[in-house]
Amino acid sequence: MGYELRVVRESPLAFAELAKAIAPAGFELHGSDEIVAGHAGAKHTVARWQGEVVGEPGSDWQVAQLLRLSTALGARLVGEDGEVYGLRDGVIEVATGGSAVEIGAFEEIIDAGPAAWSP
């Protein structure tokens, strides 16, 4: 199991609400739990429904897609250690402990696709 990011809202997210919101945001539901997004003609897993939306990103592209999904659901993207992922001036950043670190430009990351991080 990798590092998990969760889509967190003030009010609980119902599966029916998730299913209704993902298609207009460019996502698809495969089966009853897999949320996917397309890139270069292929579908890639972004998150899973486990009573909440949980992702284990392996690339900046997946982080960007999770951030896009959380925005579509009116939620925040939060890491296991409490860090919050956000978008400021088109740049994805991670805020924790009063400081923020930039990951990269959202559009560039989306365009680059889901290339896996190097170990």
Side-chain angles (χ1 to χ4, degrees), residues 12-55:
L13 178 65
F15 180 78
E17 189 177 358
L18 170 71
K20 181 179 175 184
I22 62 172
F27 297 94
E28 295 177 17
L29 188 60
H30 284 193
S32 63
D33 69 340
E34 188 178 29
I35 301 165
V36 300
H39 182 79
K43 301 294 181 186
H44 304 274
T45 300
V46 172
R48 295 196 181 280
W49 173 255
Q50 301 173 342
E52 63 184 340
V53 177
V54 178

Side-chain angles (χ1 to χ4, degrees), residues 48-69:
R48 295 196 181 280
W49 173 255
Q50 301 173 342
E52 63 184 340
V53 177
V54 178
E56 291 183 32
S59 69
D60 288 344
W61 181 86
Q62 287 171 311
V63 172
Q65 293 292 353
L66 281 164
L67 185 57
R68 189 166 65 103
L69 179 59

Side-chain angles (χ1 to χ4, degrees), residues 82-96:
E83 71 278 14
V84 178
Y85 292 73
L87 192 61
R88 185 181 357 187
D89 299 326
V91 175
I92 300 172
E93 59 183 23
V94 183
T96 183

Side-chain angles (χ1 to χ4, degrees), residues 8-13 73-76:
V8 178
R9 290 191 339 172
E10 294 295 320
S11 60
L13 178 65
L73 295 170
R76 297 178 302 135

